[in-house]
Amino acid sequence: MGRLGTGNTGDAGYRTADDAPRRSNGTPEKVDAVVVGSGFGGSVVALRLAEAGQSVVLMERGKPYPPGSFARSPSEMGRNFWDPDRGLYGLFDAWTFRGTEGLVSSGLGGGSLIYANVLLRKDEKWFVKESPVPGGGYENWPFTRADLDPYYQAAEEMLRPVPYPYRDTAKTLAMEKTAANLGLNISRPPIAVTFAAERDGEPRTNQPLRLPDYGSIHGPGTVRTTCTLSGECDIGCNAGAKNTLDHNYLSAAAALGADIRTFHDVRGIRPLDGGGYEVRFVVHRPNNRGGLLTEQIIHCKRLFLGAGTFGTNFLLLRNRGSLPALSDALGTRFSGNGDLLTFVMGARTPAQNGSPPGVRTLTGSRGPVITTAIRVPDVNDDDGDGRGYYVEDAGYPAFINWLMETAQLGTTVKRTAKVAARLLKDRLFDAGRSNVSADLAAALGDGRLSSSSVPLLGMGRDIPDGVLTLRDGRLAISWTMATSKEYFTRVRATMEAIAQDLDGDFIDNPLWWAKRVITVHPIGGAPSGRHPGEAVCDSYGEVFGYPGLFVVDGAAMPGPVGANPSLTISAFAERTCAHVLDVPDTPRHRGITPADAVGPDANGRTSSAGDPGGTVTVQREAAGAVVDAGALAPRALAPDATKGKAAPEEKPAARTETEPRVRSRSLGPAMAGNPQEATSVRFTEQMHGWFSPGVTDPERGRSLGRDRSRKIMFELTITARDIDAFVADPRHPAHAEGYVLADYFGGRMPVERGWFNLFVEDASPDGRPARRMLYRLWLRDPGGTPFTFTGHKLIHNEAGFDLWPDTTVLYATILRGHVPEEAASEPAASTATEREGVVGAGILYIRPLDFARQLTTFRAEGPAPAAGLAAFMKLFGGELLQVYGNGVPRVPFPLRGGPRGTAGTSGRAGTQPRPRRGR
């Protein structure tokens, strides 16, 4: 087994010795399978495919954590979070959304590094069918408990869970007694923790463990011991007693030749012609804090997404432009698995013989985090009412006890002051007392609050009606507690009853009062189901429309698991692998081949990606599209893609001398002569609007896009590199650079090459002179698919003050492929030709404040800057004079334009209906 980089060195990760033969100069690496993420789905896939002899590369963005490497000191904890932009490469990845907070992990082993070890099977009757969801649709599980049972067993054999064995743990005994008093069903659930040095042996703490036959991915010197009962499961087990995935599935996979790579962060996904997928990724370099990272490429026959619910959905949403046949169900059925956190504080024992109540010892820091589980039945059970759930005790690390005690500031100050006064009195009056042990003990206090408190964790079948989307390139979730209020009320009532029976104070999580919850079990977003009308993938996790692309983590769950979801996710992945290896070359559903994509038909409609006959309209690149150097050239990407437009500015693929130049009249004058001898003029323009895929008419795209909140905007710097050539050329060509921001295409896309023409002669249908401002931008989405943004502003004289809408409304069409200007459709092109390769259309506007800012961005550089600006303004005013007659009308404060003018097409000839300005 090769060496894996440790958690402290920043090593990019494990590389197998036979990695080199899969590579060749100038071409991407090729493997059978790429697995994204090392959690409960990805780790399973890596092992099972490696067992079958396939070449497997697993990419994990985080670092390895061998035993002893988890943060403990305040300085270590302060850096134990994931934010590569700020040089943080730690374990915890915290998210905040509308209505919910999320906490997940980043490291080799995924969520197993910080989960509470519980491995419960999903209740048989909680695999619901046709369960209505508020707002429409149903929660429908396409597989059953019987389907998963063999794979539950396979996962259990690897993870080796056992019930908590100790019989003297205070919190465990208290929970069991309270459940009996309340008539609740309680058990000690299987937990993936090793308590005995030998299987079925007597539990003893801190005993050394032998490595399995496949060794450890952390190296032969790895030391693991039995559980020390420290309550540190959720912050990383330094003893190695937790059976985290790096100690079993991943170690076994690496021993069989799987290539496990840490610090590898996948950014792009794109289907390849002829089958398979292209995966684009970056390798984090902790020593290069905040610097841009070079994009790398790998090709695979199959691609398995196991980056966790947040990570997998973010990847699919960002790459929707490259995967246009994805179901509209993408992002739906999100749930926090009903997670609810509360606290029992200051539990007391009953008063006896006239004495006051005593301190009930719970000692939440003793034992693993969870030792018991109370199950409250579901309406689908024989004895249930409402939606079912579990309530579990929760432990915590010992240092939390100190925080709890010192947080009682008033009591601490009073206690310390009393002891200090006594010591001062003894010193002043020479009390002759030299032993102060009792005084110091009194200063520390009796610790009754920390010893009599325990958190409670609830989880169950909340309503899976959350929706994940992108917002300015960031992951966003729309979820509200309101629809699950009845469920949370029932869970909270049970928790409060437990606190009352323990005679303790029931304390809500502070987020509860803000009607928010925190989840460590995010579920859904790419739900499995029967067809693409209700789901993203089938019952095996294979994405509808994209054979060979699988979702194998919590994102594929069509609703809350109810119990702790880790084992169900593992069993789901085990079942997926068995299916893949059983019928390796026969997709369960034909859908469309990975090289296909859905495109509009003659009526602007798209075919279903899940058509069982497999007859789907293939969306081809637009006519005249060229293959440019950027197809395989690396881009410079931001360290953290989740920041969206707030991330550092990325750089598109650099042009090389070997790239075949695409002749364009627009760039001719700008590239002629010595730029240093010419005066250049530039300005920056920002426009905002709406866009919709699958349509060719910008007005329809604007209308649909606004209804569905599909925003699009750009910020461009337009540069006339030689103002004299710019003015002399009748097409007035200039260079455009900047970015386009559209969530449908994954967020911000830098302009690789851009053309702009200020005023191109045209004519209105009535024969009057008209002008067009033309835009052509070459873009590339995160998956590497090329697109061309084309747009025009139509300048023509109509009744009324139309100068403002003429110069601030841009009709835009986006084409698939990089299309040069001379390949664009001319006015005489056929309708079919015009629609070929069209991805969508929309309309953008200059907002008044943006226009005011634009006026401040004009700059001129070179030997005659003042003359250059004057020449530009003279050209601009003169062209407007040609269009609007004897003079340029005064431009009033921008008014809302209504629909006027002659209706026309979105092609280069004709006029557009004047759209209403959006708000």
Side-chain angles (χ1 to χ4, degrees), residues 491-570:
V491 177
R492 187 175 175 276
T494 299
M495 292 174 161
E496 190 168 12
I498 292 171
Q500 290 175 352
D501 187 79
L502 294 172
D503 198 11
D505 299 321
F506 178 72
I507 307 296
D508 282 302
N509 182 335
L511 291 172
W512 174 262
W513 300 109
K515 296 184 178 181
R516 300 175 65 84
V517 296
I518 183 169
T519 180
V520 293
H521 301 126
I523 291 293
S528 56
R530 298 163 295 185
H531 53 79
E534 69 174 14
V536 173
C537 55
D538 68 8
S539 65
Y540 294 97
E542 191 168 19
V543 175
F544 288 113
Y546 293 99
L549 174 60
F550 294 84
V551 177
V552 292
D553 56 20
M557 301 297 104
V561 173
N564 310 65
S566 304
L567 185 62
T568 297
I569 294 170
S570 298

Side-chain angles (χ1 to χ4, degrees), residues 622-869:
V626 298
V627 177
D628 58 302
L632 293 177
R635 296 175 286 190
L637 304 182
D640 189 355
T642 64
K643 300 292 182 62
K645 72 175 183 180
E649 183 177 351
E650 299 181 336
K651 296 180 180 179
R655 291 188 62 201
T656 64
E657 291 302 319
T658 58
E659 177 187 353
R661 293 182 178 241
V662 180
R663 290 190 299 171
S664 170
R665 188 175 179 185
S666 296
L667 284 182
M671 297 173 63
N674 186 352
Q676 295 181 355
E677 299 176 357
T679 298
S680 66
V681 174
R682 72 176 188 274
F683 63 92
T684 299
E685 181 177 60
Q686 190 176 105
M687 301 189 74
H688 298 256
W690 291 274
F691 158 90
S692 186
V695 300
T696 59
D697 175 38
E699 173 58 31
R700 177 171 169 76
R702 179 199 67 87
S703 178
L704 291 174
R706 186 170 64 176
D707 291 343
R708 300 171 185 176
S709 297
R710 286 176 171 156
K711 296 181 180 180
I712 187 171
M713 64 84 63
F714 67 60
E715 182 174 299
L716 301 176
T717 296
I718 309 297
T719 304
R721 293 171 174 170
D722 183 338
I723 190 62
D724 293 332
F726 175 80
V727 171
D729 192 310
R731 294 180 61 82
H732 312 301
H735 173 79
E737 59 184 11
Y739 67 88
V740 174
L741 177 64
D743 288 332
Y744 179 83
F745 296 100
R748 186 170 61 187
M749 296 183 289
V751 175
E752 293 188 2
R753 297 180 68 186
W755 296 262
F756 170 78
N757 300 86
L758 180 59
F759 287 117
V760 178
E761 289 191 14
D762 204 340
S764 299
D766 59 6
R768 298 190 199 180
R771 299 289 188 272
R772 287 178 183 265
M773 296 187 196
L774 303 179
Y775 297 72
R776 183 169 297 270
L777 312 173
W778 283 6
L779 311 168
R780 197 177 300 275
D781 77 347
T785 299
F787 296 96
T788 299
F789 176 104
T790 65
H792 71 272
K793 298 174 185 175
L794 183 60
I795 316 298
H796 63 145
N797 193 7
E798 294 181 303
F801 292 101
D802 55 351
L803 175 60
W804 173 259
D806 280 357
T807 55
T808 61
V809 177
L810 180 70
Y811 303 94
T813 301
I814 297 181
L815 310 174
R816 185 173 294 271
H818 282 168
V819 183
E821 183 182 18
E822 60 266 25
S825 299
E826 294 300 322
S830 68
T831 302
T833 301
E834 290 177 354
R835 288 198 177 98
E836 180 109 12
V838 174
V839 177
I843 297 178
L844 291 83
Y845 307 88
I846 299 179
R847 301 180 299 196
L849 286 178
D850 292 332
F851 178 70
R853 295 190 193 99
Q854 179 176 332
L855 294 178
T856 68
T857 65
F858 279 86
R859 299 288 187 275
E861 296 177 353
L869 283 175

Side-chain angles (χ1 to χ4, degrees), residues 8-11 87 89 263 283-291 293:
N8 301 319
T9 66
D11 192 294
Y89 300 90
F263 286 112
V283 179
H284 290 289
R285 304 293 182 188
N287 295 329
N288 182 29
R289 177 176 176 175
L293 303 174

Side-chain angles (χ1 to χ4, degrees), residues 221-396:
T222 301
V223 177
R224 299 178 62 196
T225 68
T226 56
C227 182
T228 58
L229 308 181
S230 63
E232 297 180 347
C233 311
D234 287 347
I235 60 172
C237 180
N238 272 330
K242 277 182 68 172
N243 300 332
T244 50
L245 296 164
D246 51 331
H247 296 314
N248 38 71
Y249 276 105
L250 291 169
S251 289
L256 291 171
D259 189 343
I260 312 296
R261 303 180 185 178
T262 52
F263 286 112
H264 281 55
D265 194 349
V266 172
R267 300 294 178 83
I269 302 167
R270 185 168 68 98
L272 296 169
D273 293 336
Y277 293 88
E278 179 176 276
V279 178
R280 294 180 175 238
F281 63 95
V282 296
V283 179
H284 290 289
R285 304 293 182 188
N287 295 329
N288 182 29
R289 177 176 176 175
L292 295 181
L293 303 174
T294 301
E295 181 182 54
Q296 300 182 45
I297 296 175
I298 185 172
H299 289 174
C300 58
K301 295 178 182 178
R302 288 189 179 88
L303 175 59
F304 296 85
L305 303 182
T309 294
F310 293 153
T312 291
N313 279 287
F314 184 62
L315 264 177
L316 290 174
L317 288 166
R318 281 194 90 216
N319 289 275
R320 196 161 196 166
S322 289
L323 302 167
L326 285 173
S327 165
D328 287 340
L330 179 61
T332 64
R333 298 291 175 264
F334 172 79
S335 159
N337 202 51
D339 284 2
L340 183 64
L341 172 65
T342 62
F343 306 91
V344 177
M345 307 287 284
R348 295 170 286 272
T349 58
Q352 294 181 350
N353 301 324
S355 63
V359 176
R360 185 188 297 274
T361 301
L362 299 178
T363 316
S365 60
R366 178 70 174 172
V369 169
I370 293 175
T371 62
T372 62
I374 292 172
R375 180 185 182 276
V376 178
D378 188 270
V379 67
N380 294 290
D381 297 314
D382 296 333
D383 55 346
D385 179 25
R387 301 177 78 89
Y389 56 91
Y390 287 82
V391 176
E392 300 165 348
D393 65 291
Y396 50 82

Side-chain angles (χ1 to χ4, degrees), residues 406-422:
T406 56
Q408 303 175 85
L409 186 61
T411 303
T412 302
V413 170
K414 185 184 299 184
R415 189 170 61 235
T416 304
K418 184 177 180 179
V419 171
R422 176 178 295 180

